[in-house]
Amino acid sequence: IEQRVEDALQRMTLEEKIAQIRHIHSWNVFNGQDLDMEKLGKFTGGGSWGFVEGFPLTGVNCKKNMQLIQKFMVENTRLGIPVFTVAESLHGWVHEGSTIYPQNIAMGSTFRPELAYRKAAMITKDLHAQGMHQVLAPCIDVVRDLRWGRGEESFGEDPVLCGLFGIAEVKGYMDNGISPKPTFHRSQIQTAQRITMRAIMFQHRRN
């Protein structure tokens, strides 16, 4: 694998490397619930892209269309690099037909991080069934100002609590074959966020 990666890097143009950290958004290639292959071909321009999402799709259409996009990326781009399929799963996979779980603020009020692990592990079943590889979760914001308006996405106001729940949820995804991307928002960036992220990264290095 390392040799193949090194070979691909040597052959990639600067534009192709940049595209590996960019998204194909649903509005770029879908007409409602239908994938437009002509749009996909024009948008990608024959090159590989890093990520693709289909947030407005139902679960059934997500599975079908993500498989088609993955096939296209492997067979119809210059280097044939597979794409990361991305979903939201703050409290359950975002697509219609998925199981819904309590919001993070409710999970945090239990003071039982193992529940975050179990939630993530169960969400991965939906994700694998629909062909998803990465989730934009967990949210590790430390919320102390309700004017932000998205307080339900946080596990609470304590950085240690948020760190413990964040670690548990990350492990729940990774132990079950899904790549998590912990998220936090610019309006909430503060010292507490940095402490939480350090706690997650420290735990990951230990494991």
Side-chain angles (χ1 to χ4, degrees):
I1 292 176
E2 291 182 1
Q3 290 179 343
R4 293 181 66 185
V5 170
E6 186 62 31
D7 176 65
L9 285 172
Q10 294 297 325
R11 291 190 286 150
M12 290 173 76
T13 65
L14 177 61
E15 290 76 13
E16 287 172 325
K17 291 177 180 178
I18 293 172
Q20 285 298 305
I21 57 173
R22 295 184 63 192
H23 268 76
I24 301 172
H25 293 285
S26 54
W27 59 79
N28 298 134
V29 296
F30 284 95
N31 298 320
Q33 294 288 314
D34 300 318
L35 176 64
D36 188 322
M37 297 301 293
E38 184 176 350
K39 279 186 177 180
L40 178 61
K42 288 181 178 179
F43 185 80
T44 57
S48 301
W49 283 63
F51 307 88
V52 61
E53 55 85 359
F55 295 150
L57 302 179
T58 64
V60 172
N61 283 333
C62 192
K63 178 179 181 179
K64 177 183 69 175
N65 289 312
M66 290 302 161
Q67 289 176 337
L68 291 173
I69 291 173
Q70 194 70 274
K71 187 173 187 293
F72 176 89
M73 298 300 287
V74 171
E75 297 180 358
N76 296 279
T77 59
R78 192 175 78 87
L79 296 175
I81 300 173
V83 65
F84 266 98
T85 51
V86 179
E88 293 268 13
S89 63
L90 182 64
H91 59 112
W93 189 44
V94 71
H95 297 274
E96 179 184 324
S98 305
T99 305
I100 300 300
Y101 299 90
Q103 289 274 16
N104 284 353
I105 195 67
M107 298 287 287
S109 69
T110 68
F111 295 93
R112 294 175 59 190
E114 69 272 16
L115 294 179
Y117 180 95
R118 290 174 58 191
K119 178 193 75 170
M122 289 188 285
I123 291 172
T124 62
K125 296 179 181 178
D126 279 343
L127 294 165
H128 284 302
Q130 306 300 340
M132 309 308 291
H133 300 138
Q134 186 178 65
V135 288
L136 307 180
C139 176
I140 55 172
D141 274 297
V142 178
V143 175
R144 293 177 175 172
D145 188 341
L146 294 180
R147 291 175 298 176
W148 178 44
R150 295 172 66 172
E152 76 282 355
E153 297 185 26
S154 170
F155 290 112
E157 64 179 2
D158 180 76
V160 175
L161 178 75
C162 292
L164 291 173
F165 272 86
I167 290 166
E169 188 166 334
V170 164
K171 290 184 69 177
Y173 286 120
M174 295 185 69
D175 287 352
N176 291 278
I178 292 293
S179 171
K181 178 186 175 293
T183 64
F184 54 92
H185 303 276
R186 289 181 182 178
S187 60
Q188 285 292 107
I189 293 177
Q190 51 183 289
T191 302
Q193 258 83 355
R194 293 193 290 272
I195 293 172
T196 306
M197 182 59 83
R198 288 195 192 107
I200 289 175
M201 297 307 294
F202 175 72
Q203 182 70 23
H204 177 63
R205 286 196 295 269
R206 285 182 59 192
N207 294 332

Coordinates of all heavy atoms in Angstrom, one line a residue, residues 12-48:
M12 N 0.6 12.7 -9.2 CA -0.5 13.6 -9.0 C -0.1 15.1 -9.4 O 1.1 15.5 -9.0 CB -1.0 13.6 -7.6 CG -1.8 12.3 -7.3 SD -2.3 12.2 -5.5 CE -3.6 13.4 -5.5
T13 N -0.9 15.8 -10.0 CA -0.7 17.2 -10.2 C -1.0 18.0 -9.0 O -1.7 17.4 -8.0 CB -1.5 17.7 -11.4 OG1 -2.9 17.7 -11.0 CG2 -1.3 16.9 -12.7
L14 N -0.6 19.2 -8.9 CA -1.0 20.1 -7.7 C -2.5 20.2 -7.6 O -3.0 20.1 -6.5 CB -0.4 21.5 -7.9 CG -0.7 22.5 -6.8 CD1 -0.2 22.0 -5.4 CD2 -0.2 23.8 -7.1
E15 N -3.2 20.3 -8.7 CA -4.7 20.4 -8.7 C -5.3 19.1 -8.1 O -6.3 19.2 -7.3 CB -5.2 20.7 -10.1 CG -5.0 22.1 -10.6 CD -3.5 22.3 -11.1 OE1 -2.8 21.2 -11.2 OE2 -3.1 23.4 -11.3
E16 N -4.8 18.0 -8.5 CA -5.3 16.7 -8.0 C -5.0 16.5 -6.5 O -5.9 16.0 -5.8 CB -4.7 15.5 -8.8 CG -5.2 15.4 -10.2 CD -4.5 14.4 -11.0 OE1 -3.3 14.2 -10.8 OE2 -5.1 13.7 -11.8
K17 N -3.9 17.0 -6.0 CA -3.6 17.0 -4.6 C -4.5 17.8 -3.8 O -5.0 17.5 -2.7 CB -2.1 17.4 -4.3 CG -1.1 16.3 -4.8 CD 0.3 16.8 -4.6 CE 1.3 15.8 -5.1 NZ 2.7 16.2 -5.0
I18 N -4.8 19.0 -4.3 CA -5.7 19.9 -3.6 C -7.1 19.3 -3.6 O -7.8 19.4 -2.6 CB -5.7 21.3 -4.3 CG1 -4.4 22.0 -4.1 CG2 -6.9 22.2 -3.8 CD1 -4.2 23.3 -4.9
A19 N -7.5 18.7 -4.7 CA -8.9 18.1 -4.8 C -9.0 17.0 -3.7 O -10.2 16.7 -3.3 CB -9.1 17.5 -6.2
Q20 N -8.0 16.4 -3.2 CA -8.1 15.3 -2.2 C -8.5 15.9 -0.9 O -8.9 15.1 0.0 CB -6.7 14.6 -2.1 CG -6.4 13.7 -3.2 CD -7.5 12.5 -3.3 OE1 -7.7 11.8 -2.4 NE2 -8.1 12.4 -4.5
I21 N -8.5 17.2 -0.7 CA -9.0 17.7 0.6 C -10.3 18.6 0.3 O -10.7 19.4 1.1 CB -7.9 18.6 1.3 CG1 -7.4 19.7 0.4 CG2 -6.8 17.7 1.8 CD1 -6.5 20.7 1.1
R22 N -10.9 18.3 -0.8 CA -12.1 19.0 -1.2 C -13.3 18.1 -1.3 O -13.2 16.9 -1.4 CB -12.0 19.8 -2.5 CG -10.9 20.9 -2.5 CD -10.9 21.6 -3.8 NE -12.2 22.3 -4.0 CZ -12.5 22.9 -5.2 NH1 -11.6 22.8 -6.2 NH2 -13.6 23.5 -5.4
H23 N -14.5 18.7 -1.1 CA -15.8 17.9 -1.2 C -16.5 18.1 -2.6 O -16.4 19.1 -3.2 CB -16.7 18.5 -0.1 CG -16.7 17.8 1.2 ND1 -15.7 18.0 2.1 CD2 -17.5 16.9 1.7 CE1 -15.9 17.3 3.2 NE2 -17.0 16.6 3.0
I24 N -17.1 17.0 -2.9 CA -18.2 17.0 -4.0 C -19.5 17.2 -3.2 O -19.8 16.2 -2.5 CB -18.2 15.8 -4.8 CG1 -16.8 15.6 -5.6 CG2 -19.3 15.9 -5.9 CD1 -16.8 14.2 -6.3
H25 N -20.1 18.3 -3.3 CA -21.4 18.5 -2.6 C -22.6 18.0 -3.4 O -22.5 17.9 -4.6 CB -21.6 20.0 -2.2 CG -20.5 20.5 -1.2 ND1 -20.6 20.2 0.1 CD2 -19.4 21.3 -1.4 CE1 -19.6 20.7 0.7 NE2 -18.9 21.4 -0.2
S26 N -23.6 17.7 -2.7 CA -24.8 17.1 -3.3 C -25.3 17.9 -4.4 O -25.7 17.4 -5.5 CB -25.9 16.8 -2.3 OG -26.2 17.9 -1.6
W27 N -25.3 19.2 -4.2 CA -25.9 20.1 -5.3 C -25.0 20.2 -6.5 O -25.4 20.6 -7.6 CB -26.1 21.5 -4.7 CG -24.9 22.2 -4.2 CD1 -23.9 22.8 -4.9 CD2 -24.5 22.3 -2.9 NE1 -22.9 23.3 -4.1 CE2 -23.2 23.1 -2.8 CE3 -25.0 22.0 -1.6 CZ2 -22.6 23.4 -1.6 CZ3 -24.4 22.3 -0.5 CH2 -23.2 23.0 -0.5
N28 N -23.8 19.7 -6.4 CA -22.9 19.7 -7.6 C -23.2 18.6 -8.6 O -23.0 18.7 -9.8 CB -21.4 19.5 -7.2 CG -20.9 20.6 -6.3 OD1 -20.2 20.3 -5.3 ND2 -21.1 21.8 -6.6
V29 N -23.8 17.5 -8.1 CA -24.0 16.3 -9.0 C -25.4 15.6 -8.9 O -25.6 14.7 -9.7 CB -22.9 15.2 -8.6 CG1 -21.5 15.8 -8.9 CG2 -23.0 14.8 -7.2
F30 N -26.3 16.1 -8.1 CA -27.6 15.5 -8.0 C -28.7 16.5 -8.5 O -28.6 17.7 -8.3 CB -27.9 15.2 -6.5 CG -27.2 13.9 -6.0 CD1 -26.0 14.0 -5.3 CD2 -27.7 12.7 -6.2 CE1 -25.3 12.9 -4.9 CE2 -27.1 11.5 -5.8 CZ -25.9 11.7 -5.1
N31 N -29.7 15.9 -9.0 CA -30.9 16.6 -9.3 C -32.0 16.0 -8.4 O -32.6 14.9 -8.7 CB -31.3 16.4 -10.8 CG -30.3 16.9 -11.8 OD1 -29.8 18.0 -11.5 ND2 -30.1 16.2 -12.9
G32 N -32.2 16.6 -7.3 CA -33.1 16.0 -6.3 C -32.5 14.8 -5.7 O -31.4 14.8 -5.2
Q33 N -33.2 13.6 -5.9 CA -32.7 12.3 -5.4 C -32.0 11.6 -6.5 O -31.5 10.5 -6.2 CB -33.9 11.5 -5.0 CG -34.7 12.0 -3.7 CD -33.8 11.9 -2.5 OE1 -33.3 10.8 -2.2 NE2 -33.8 12.9 -1.7
D34 N -31.8 12.2 -7.7 CA -31.2 11.4 -8.8 C -29.8 11.9 -9.1 O -29.6 13.1 -9.2 CB -32.1 11.6 -10.1 CG -33.5 11.1 -9.9 OD1 -33.6 10.0 -9.3 OD2 -34.4 11.7 -10.3
L35 N -28.9 11.0 -9.2 CA -27.5 11.3 -9.6 C -27.5 11.6 -11.1 O -27.9 10.9 -11.9 CB -26.6 10.1 -9.3 CG -25.1 10.3 -9.7 CD1 -24.5 11.4 -8.9 CD2 -24.4 9.0 -9.4
D36 N -26.8 12.8 -11.4 CA -26.6 13.2 -12.8 C -25.2 12.8 -13.2 O -24.3 13.5 -12.8 CB -26.9 14.7 -12.9 CG -26.9 15.1 -14.4 OD1 -26.1 14.6 -15.2 OD2 -27.8 16.0 -14.7
M37 N -25.0 11.7 -13.9 CA -23.7 11.3 -14.3 C -23.0 12.3 -15.2 O -21.7 12.5 -15.1 CB -23.7 10.0 -15.0 CG -24.3 8.8 -14.2 SD -23.3 8.5 -12.6 CE -21.8 7.9 -13.3
E38 N -23.7 13.1 -16.0 CA -23.1 14.1 -16.8 C -22.5 15.2 -15.9 O -21.4 15.7 -16.1 CB -24.1 14.7 -17.8 CG -23.5 15.7 -18.8 CD -24.5 16.2 -19.8 OE1 -25.6 15.6 -19.9 OE2 -24.1 17.1 -20.5
K39 N -23.3 15.6 -14.9 CA -22.8 16.6 -14.0 C -21.6 16.1 -13.2 O -20.6 16.9 -13.0 CB -23.9 17.0 -13.0 CG -24.9 18.0 -13.4 CD -25.8 18.3 -12.3 CE -26.9 19.4 -12.7 NZ -27.7 19.7 -11.5
L40 N -21.6 14.8 -12.8 CA -20.5 14.3 -12.1 C -19.2 14.3 -12.9 O -18.1 14.7 -12.4 CB -20.8 12.8 -11.7 CG -19.7 12.1 -10.9 CD1 -19.4 12.8 -9.6 CD2 -20.2 10.6 -10.6
G41 N -19.3 13.9 -14.2 CA -18.2 13.9 -15.1 C -17.6 15.3 -15.3 O -16.4 15.5 -15.3
K42 N -18.5 16.3 -15.5 CA -18.1 17.7 -15.7 C -17.4 18.3 -14.5 O -16.4 18.9 -14.5 CB -19.2 18.5 -16.2 CG -19.7 18.2 -17.6 CD -20.8 19.1 -18.0 CE -21.3 18.9 -19.5 NZ -22.4 19.8 -19.9
F43 N -18.1 18.0 -13.3 CA -17.6 18.6 -12.1 C -16.2 18.0 -11.7 O -15.3 18.8 -11.3 CB -18.6 18.4 -11.0 CG -18.2 19.1 -9.7 CD1 -18.4 20.4 -9.5 CD2 -17.6 18.4 -8.7 CE1 -18.1 21.1 -8.4 CE2 -17.2 19.0 -7.5 CZ -17.5 20.4 -7.3
T44 N -16.0 16.8 -11.8 CA -14.7 16.2 -11.4 C -13.6 16.4 -12.5 O -12.5 16.4 -12.1 CB -14.9 14.6 -11.2 OG1 -15.4 14.0 -12.4 CG2 -15.8 14.3 -10.1
G45 N -14.0 16.6 -13.7 CA -13.1 16.9 -14.7 C -12.0 15.8 -15.0 O -10.9 16.1 -15.4
G46 N -12.4 14.6 -14.7 CA -11.5 13.5 -15.0 C -10.5 13.2 -13.9 O -9.6 12.4 -14.0
G47 N -10.6 14.0 -12.8 CA -9.7 13.9 -11.6 C -10.4 13.3 -10.4 O -11.6 13.3 -10.3
S48 N -9.5 12.8 -9.5 CA -10.1 12.2 -8.3 C -10.3 13.3 -7.3 O -9.6 14.3 -7.2 CB -9.0 11.2 -7.7 OG -8.8 10.2 -8.6

